[in-house]
Amino acid sequence: MVNADIEIETLAEFDRVVARGSLSGYRIQSVNLLERTFALLSADTSAAVFLGCAMEPDAAVKVRADGALVFPPVPDLPFNPYRGLLYTAEELFAGLSEGYESTPDAQAYAWFQETKADGDVFSSMLRSLHDDAISDALDEALAGARVVGVMGGHAMARGTDAYRGAAELGRALARRGLTVATGGGPGAMEAANLGAYLAPAPDGALGEALEVLAKAPSFTPSVSDWARAAFAVRERWPSGGDSVGIPTWFYGHEPPNAFAGQIAKYFANATREDGLLARCTAGVVFLPGAAGTVQEVFDNATPNYYASAAGPTPMVLVDRRHWTEELPAWPLLRALARGRAMESRIALVDSVDEVPDALASLA
């Protein structure tokens, strides 16, 4: 059975392993090996797998002769389908000074728009390879973490009380030692990632950051201005806390937010939705939202209802009026839970201030 111990995802890891003389059986994932020709010619590479590793032709011939499988890099792609690590905001927004349209994030979305309906099996295979690599990297990044999801709508504007509340929630959860995970986009998702980012900073930092962000309240009409405001906050507080964002190019008109320390961006939204909720081992918080958030409520409720995982995970819905009157998901959720193990794992609260204690009591 393959495990992460045989995966090599950085040049430093490669050097450590090859110093022992053998790469046999290892999976080398998206490592530039153009400067490691002698090492490849000298080491045993039998049964190794090279995924998207650039190497000199003679090195490639030798490792294939050893019996290794070599999946070469794919030219002219705005993304790496074999990547071994999650994205960072700096990586996705590289070139922002020239406008968002110049960034790798925007270019990957443009490629997706061009290829998603062309019926080309090669394009769909590349998307699948990429998303599977992201899932593998996400599992490794979250190993052993207590992950709590914060779900909410993308329309929540910076500068509003709701945005401040979501940010305060993210900060409170991070300060309790939880890893905050969101859908990785704007609005409530960005606010929760922002709070986690500023968790190590003094309390007053959040208020100052909110003032900076309020100058660009939405990603419309300008993603560039919206993103630049976020990077101005990051520059002011460069040593932010970690959290995870899990966005999708399926909704590529919604950019990822810059406050998640690690970003698992997918092409397939269904894979992204299921993967996000499945990894929230410490529970999920549902802030007021619309169709997408309602879908997430019941996507999360289904495995809890059938007890298909190790056990039901906590679910906390925030804003009684929203979830009982505007979009009355709570009565249906409570009816589904009645008499089942999940009944003791759901809660409805009035404000974000109540969420950390509610999660603790449900756990």
Side-chain angles (χ1 to χ4, degrees):
M1 179 178 179
V2 176
N3 59 66
D5 291 336
I6 63 170
E7 293 180 5
I8 297 174
E9 294 151 341
T10 68
L11 195 57
E13 286 182 281
F14 176 88
D15 289 341
R16 284 196 297 271
V17 173
V18 83
R20 299 196 291 265
S22 178
L23 291 165
S24 179
Y26 278 87
R27 281 76 171 114
I28 302 90
Q29 193 170 351
S30 189
V31 180
N32 187 332
L33 300 175
L34 290 172
E35 302 297 325
R36 295 296 186 273
T37 299
F38 179 77
L40 292 170
L41 294 175
S42 304
D44 175 12
T45 57
S46 60
V49 179
F50 293 85
L51 298 167
C53 298
M55 63 180 77
E56 295 291 352
D58 53 344
V61 169
K62 183 268 181 184
V63 300
R64 285 192 176 100
D66 277 355
L69 288 176
V70 179
F71 294 78
V74 181
D76 303 321
L77 275 183
F79 64 94
N80 178 0
Y82 305 111
R83 63 178 300 117
L85 304 172
L86 297 180
Y87 292 101
T88 64
E90 292 89 344
E91 182 180 2
L92 288 175
F93 285 102
L96 181 63
S97 60
E98 303 299 320
Y100 173 69
E101 296 75 15
S102 301
T103 65
D105 185 65
Q107 291 168 4
Y109 177 53
W111 178 89
F112 182 41
Q113 289 295 94
E114 292 171 3
T115 63
K116 67 181 181 181
D118 64 8
D120 185 353
V121 67
F122 184 55
S123 297
S124 61
M125 182 192 73
L126 292 173
R127 293 194 295 270
S128 296
L129 282 172
H130 170 274
D131 286 1
D132 191 67
I134 288 294
S135 291
D136 180 68
L138 185 58
D139 284 337
E140 292 172 11
L142 295 179
R146 293 187 299 144
V147 181
V148 59
V150 179
M151 310 298 153
H154 68 270
M156 184 184 289
R158 295 166 171 175
T160 63
D161 289 341
Y163 187 96
R164 175 185 285 271
E168 290 173 345
L169 172 61
R171 183 176 65 179
L173 294 172
R175 286 179 173 178
R176 290 196 177 203
L178 297 166
T179 297
V180 173
T182 78
M189 297 171 279
E190 180 188 56
N193 287 129
L194 167 66
Y197 182 85
L198 291 176
D203 287 353
L206 181 56
E208 294 179 44
L210 293 173
E211 290 182 11
V212 173
L213 295 173
K215 297 174 184 176
S218 174
F219 63 95
T220 58
S222 173
V223 175
S224 299
D225 291 345
W226 176 84
R228 287 173 185 140
F231 279 99
V233 170
R234 288 174 54 107
E235 185 175 353
R236 172 68 178 82
W237 292 279
S239 301
D242 197 21
S243 66
V244 176
I246 307 180
T248 174
W249 280 295
F250 184 82
Y251 297 130
H253 59 286
E254 296 178 15
N257 78 72
F259 295 112
Q262 302 184 84
I263 301 174
K265 191 153 192 178
Y266 287 88
F267 288 105
N269 186 52
T271 304
R272 167 250 192 175
E273 290 271 9
D274 182 67
L276 169 56
L277 294 167
R279 290 173 173 87
C280 294
T281 54
V284 184
V285 180
F286 299 92
L287 300 173
T293 310
V294 172
Q295 177 183 335
E296 288 163 346
V297 169
F298 292 103
D299 280 348
N300 192 219
T302 300
N304 283 346
Y305 177 86
Y306 288 111
S308 55
T313 53
M315 300 175 65
V316 180
L317 279 61
V318 182
D319 191 331
R320 191 174 303 273
R321 181 176 177 276
H322 183 84
W323 293 118
T324 60
E325 298 178 27
E326 295 180 21
L327 292 175
W330 173 252
L332 178 53
L333 180 64
R334 188 171 58 177
L336 280 171
R338 190 172 298 122
R340 307 185 80 88
M342 69 179 286
E343 187 171 18
S344 63
R345 298 296 183 91
I346 63 173
L348 175 66
V349 300
D350 290 309
S351 73
V352 293
D353 296 337
E354 302 171 74
V355 170
D357 288 341
L359 279 173
S361 65
L362 295 176

